[in-house]
Amino acid sequence: MARRVRTLLPVIWLMALLVAPAVAYLAGERQPNLENRAKTPFPDLNRGTLRQEHTFQQIDAALRERLPLRRYAIDAEGRIAINLFGDSPSADVLLGEDGWLYYRPELRICTDEGRPKAPPEDAAALLTRTITASGRTPVVIVAGSKMVTHQEHLSGVDASQLACVSAAESRVHERLDDVPGGYTIQDQLDALEADGKPTFLRSDTHWNFLGREAFARTVLDAVRPGLASEARLRGIDERERSGDLGVFIGQTRVDRDRQLTVTGSPETDFAPGEVLFVGDSQLDAALRTPGADGATVLDRVFPGQPVCNWTQMYQDGCAGPLLAAQTVVIESVARNLDLLVDTCWRPVSLLASTVQGDPARWAGGGPATRLELSPTAAPAHVEADDDRTDVPRLVRIPIDTLPTDPNADPAKPPLITAIPPQERPCALAAVADQSALVIPVMAGERVSDVELDVAGPAG
C-alpha cells in the first residue's frame, strides 16, 4: 500500500499543480503585468499560423504571464523537469552531479554563433601592449569559465566542445602570462581545485570566496607590489547566498559562502582617477561586493577610483576615465572572448593618440604625415621599416583633414574609415579625434602585406 502511494505522489502533485491556478483564478487571484510591460497577446490561430513554431511559443508565453500564482508554477515546472525527468527547464543551464549547475553559454566561443573572428589571445596581447605603449600600467586578466575550471561535477557536455573551450582559454592565459601587464590566476585556481577546494559556487556563475580572493590579490599586487599584504584579505562570516543560475530554472538555489573582507589598513594614497577598473560581473563580485564590515574591496583599497563596464567602454561612456588613468585594470570572462575581439578597438583607438612610436610609411614614400582622400574609396598599401616582428603592433597613420565645406564645424572632423581585407582583433579604427588611422598588425604578419580600403570625404 505504501509503495502504491509513493508511486501516485508525482501524479497527485501534477494534478494539484493543474488545479491550483484554476482555484486561485475563481478566488480572484490575477497575475499583474510583468516587468512594467503589457502581457504577451494570444496569437491569431489559422491554418497558416498553426504551422509555425513561434505560434505555440507565443501561446506558451501568453498562458504563463496570465497564470495566477505564476512564480509558484514556474518553480513547480522546474522541479518537475528536474526531479521527474532529470532535465533542465532552461536551455542555458546544465544540470551537473550533486546539485551543481553550469552555464551552457560558456561553450559559445566554440559554436558558429560565438566563435571569435580572430585569435582572442592576439586581442588580449594587443590591448595590453597598447596600454603600455600609451605610458600607462596595464593589469589585464581573463577569468576562466566554470566548466573548464571545475569539471568535477560536470556532465552532459560534448567532450570535443569542452576541449575546444579549454584550449582557447589556455592560449589566452599563456599569452597574457608572457606579455608585460598581462596576468593569469588560472594556475592558482587549478591548484586549489586539485587540492579539493572548489573555487566556484555550486549554483552560481561566479567564483566563491577562494576564487575572488585569488583574483583580488593578483590585482592589488599588480597595481602596487605588497598591496595585498597590506590589505590582508580574508574570507570570513559565512552566510547563505542565492545563486544566479537558480533563476534560470525557476528555483531558489542557496550556497554557503564567505564574505571577502579587507582586514588590514592599506595605504590608499591614490590620486583621483589614477586607477581605472573595467570589467564585468566577475570583477563586481570580487571587488564591489560588501565584506563582513559592509565595505567593498574597492571602498577600502581604492576609494573613489572609477569603474566602467564593457557596455560603457563600447558606448564611449568611459573615454574620460580611461585617458585620465595611470593604471588600467581590465577583466573579461572567457565566455565573452568573441566580444573582446570585437570591442577592444574602442580602448585601442582612444589610447592610440598617446601611443609613442614612429609613424608608418606609404609604400615607396616617406613617413605618412598626411593622407589625402579622393571622393571614392581609395585602396591603400602600408609599409614599415621593421616589416615583421614576433609581437602584435599598431600601425598608426596620421591624417591631415582639409574640409572642403566652408560651413563645416572644425570641432566635428569628417569621418574617416578604413576596412582591412581580413578579420583581425581590435578591428581597424580611427583615433577619437580622427587624426589618424590605427591598424592592428598581428604577430608574424608582414606590415607590407596589409592593404586597406580607405574612405571619407574628399580633401
Side-chain angles (χ1 to χ4, degrees), residues 293-308:
D293 60 353
T296 70
V297 174
L298 290 189
D299 291 337
R300 292 289 308 278
V301 185
F302 302 100
Q305 299 302 319
V307 181
C308 293

Side-chain angles (χ1 to χ4, degrees), residues 141 184-186 188-189 192 197-200 206-222 227-229 231-236 241 257-263 282-289 297:
I141 298 177
T184 177
I185 64 168
Q186 194 59 41
Q188 300 178 54
L189 302 185
L192 288 167
K197 300 175 181 177
T199 57
F200 278 88
H206 301 94
W207 295 307
N208 62 15
F209 80 96
L210 290 175
R212 299 196 304 273
E213 182 181 5
F215 173 78
R217 287 183 180 279
T218 299
V219 169
L220 266 58
D221 280 341
L227 187 55
S229 296
R232 295 209 309 269
L233 296 169
R234 298 287 186 273
I236 58 180
R241 172 176 171 176
D257 191 30
R258 298 180 186 177
Q259 295 178 283
L260 188 61
T261 304
V262 175
T263 62
Q282 280 287 29
L283 184 145
D284 285 345
L287 303 182
R288 304 181 73 189
T289 300
V297 174

Side-chain angles (χ1 to χ4, degrees), residues 136-174:
R136 295 166 176 83
T137 300
V139 182
V140 179
I141 298 177
V142 170
S145 64
K146 181 177 179 178
M147 282 189 184
V148 173
T149 305
H150 186 87
Q151 300 185 27
E152 182 178 355
H153 299 94
L154 182 63
S155 60
V157 176
D158 181 83
S160 61
Q161 201 170 31
L162 182 61
C164 170
V165 173
S166 179
E169 293 185 12
S170 294
R171 289 192 296 268
V172 174
H173 296 318
E174 290 171 3

Side-chain angles (χ1 to χ4, degrees), residues 8-22:
L8 290 175
L9 276 178
V11 178
I12 297 171
W13 179 23
L14 182 58
M15 291 301 296
L17 171 65
L18 295 174
V19 172

Side-chain angles (χ1 to χ4, degrees), residues 17-311:
L17 171 65
L18 295 174
V19 172
V23 174
Y25 188 89
L26 293 174
E29 177 82 17
R30 297 293 186 273
Q31 172 66 32
N33 283 350
L34 305 172
E35 298 149 359
N36 296 319
R37 63 172 175 82
K39 297 183 178 70
T40 301
F42 284 98
D44 293 331
L45 300 180
N46 54 54
R47 182 179 299 177
T49 59
L50 288 175
R51 296 178 180 179
Q52 300 174 357
E53 182 179 356
H54 69 80
T55 298
F56 297 95
Q57 294 173 345
Q58 186 174 344
I59 292 174
D60 180 62
L63 288 171
R64 282 170 174 264
E65 294 175 12
R66 288 166 173 79
L67 187 66
L69 309 177
R70 178 179 182 270
R71 64 183 183 275
Y72 303 109
I74 293 176
D75 178 79
E77 178 189 34
R79 294 182 185 279
I80 290 173
I82 295 172
N83 297 333
L84 290 186
F85 302 105
D87 192 19
S88 171
S90 170
D92 286 335
V93 178
L94 286 169
L95 304 182
E97 299 171 353
D98 295 334
W100 279 76
L101 303 178
Y102 293 85
Y103 193 45
R104 189 186 295 272
E106 289 185 339
L107 299 170
R108 66 187 301 273
I109 62 171
C110 285
T111 65
D112 292 339
E113 177 187 0
R115 186 169 286 107
K117 299 175 182 177
E121 61 269 24
D122 284 346
L126 192 60
L127 176 58
T128 306
R129 291 182 180 276
T130 299
I131 297 172
T132 300
S134 72
R136 295 166 176 83
T137 300
V139 182
V140 179
I141 298 177
V142 170
S145 64
K146 181 177 179 178
M147 282 189 184
V148 173
T149 305
H150 186 87
Q151 300 185 27
E152 182 178 355
H153 299 94
L154 182 63
S155 60
V157 176
D158 181 83
S160 61
Q161 201 170 31
L162 182 61
C164 170
V165 173
S166 179
E169 293 185 12
S170 294
R171 289 192 296 268
V172 174
H173 296 318
E174 290 171 3
R175 181 70 65 85
L176 284 176
D177 205 27
D178 289 337
V179 176
Y183 296 85
T184 177
I185 64 168
Q186 194 59 41
D187 52 348
Q188 300 178 54
L189 302 185
D190 290 343
L192 288 167
E193 294 280 347
D195 198 30
K197 300 175 181 177
T199 57
F200 278 88
L201 292 165
R202 182 186 301 265
S203 56
D204 202 279
T205 57
H206 301 94
W207 295 307
N208 62 15
F209 80 96
L210 290 175
R212 299 196 304 273
E213 182 181 5
F215 173 78
R217 287 183 180 279
T218 299
V219 169
L220 266 58
D221 280 341
V223 173
R224 190 172 72 201
L227 187 55
S229 296
E230 295 177 23
R232 295 209 309 269
L233 296 169
R234 298 287 186 273
I236 58 180
D237 192 17
E238 186 178 65
R239 60 178 56 188
E240 291 186 343
R241 172 176 171 176
S242 296
D244 59 2
L245 289 173
V247 177
F248 287 83
I249 59 175
Q251 295 184 1
T252 299
R253 292 290 185 94
V254 175
D255 293 313
R256 301 288 297 180
D257 191 30
R258 298 180 186 177
Q259 295 178 283
L260 188 61
T261 304
V262 175
T263 62
S265 301
E267 292 290 337
T268 59
D269 53 347
F270 297 100
E274 179 180 344
V275 185
L276 169 66
F277 295 86
V278 181
D280 45 46
S281 60
Q282 280 287 29
L283 184 145
D284 285 345
L287 303 182
R288 304 181 73 189
T289 300
D293 60 353
T296 70
V297 174
L298 290 189
D299 291 337
R300 292 289 308 278
V301 185
F302 302 100
Q305 299 302 319
V307 181
C308 293
N309 57 42
W310 279 102
T311 300

